[in-house]
Amino acid sequence: MEEMRMELTYYRKGDYLFPNLTIENEPVNIGKYGMLRKTFLKENRKNWYQSMLLTGKLEKHLMEIEKAAQERMEVLMNGLLIQYPAPDKEADQMKWVAHLNNLQQMAEESVLTELVYN
């Protein structure tokens, strides 16, 4: 059986020795919905936010929210495009863009209500 050993180094500050500890975290890119969720938790669910932050579960939660929100947006946009077909892009680009922006807003409102602000 292989024995696992850890070497700790210390630095002195005044009369005390403190261990040289570092946390190696990979930088995580949390998108729009994850950041909105983080702000919501920080402002409205302070205890839950602090608990998740201290236990190291916050980033995972935010990534899950981001992924779920992106997937939900895609599903909603596809459904809305079936229900409200877009006008011909070649005939009137501005009308087409306005239509897609409206559908995007409808889908995003639903995602924000369901996943981010609950």
Side-chain angles (χ1 to χ4, degrees):
M1 186 172 188
E2 193 175 306
E3 188 176 315
M4 195 168 119
R5 299 186 81 154
M6 285 182 52
E7 293 269 337
L8 285 179
T9 59
Y10 297 87
Y11 67 95
R12 182 176 296 277
K13 189 168 186 178
D15 292 335
Y16 301 100
L17 288 175
F18 293 95
N20 291 319
L21 299 176
T22 58
I23 299 173
E24 295 180 19
N25 284 347
E26 296 177 16
V28 177
N29 286 337
I30 298 169
K32 173 184 178 179
Y33 302 108
M35 293 304 289
L36 288 170
R37 177 68 174 175
K38 181 178 180 180
T39 302
F40 172 77
L41 291 175
K42 194 184 284 189
E43 293 175 358
N44 299 290
R45 305 275 195 276
K46 292 177 181 140
N47 292 339
W48 197 40
Y49 173 81
Q50 287 293 325
S51 173
M52 288 177 61
L53 183 63
L54 293 173
T55 57
K57 296 177 184 176
L58 182 63
E59 282 186 352
K60 183 179 180 210
H61 172 73
L62 297 177
M63 288 189 310
E64 288 171 357
I65 291 292
E66 180 68 28
K67 183 179 178 196
Q70 292 289 346
E71 290 171 357
R72 186 76 177 124
M73 279 294 291
E74 192 173 315
V75 168
L76 286 172
M77 282 299 291
N78 289 337
L80 287 170
L81 279 169
I82 291 169
Q83 190 173 359
Y84 306 104
D88 184 30
K89 184 178 180 180
E90 299 297 321
D92 191 353
Q93 274 189 329
M94 293 305 286
K95 194 173 185 180
W96 179 81
V97 168
H99 181 76
L100 287 184
N101 283 341
N102 285 336
L103 296 183
Q104 177 95 18
Q105 286 299 113
M106 290 169 64
E108 193 165 81
E109 185 177 334
S110 177
V111 166
L112 291 175
T113 302
E114 291 174 15
L115 297 173
V116 176
Y117 302 133
N118 70 12

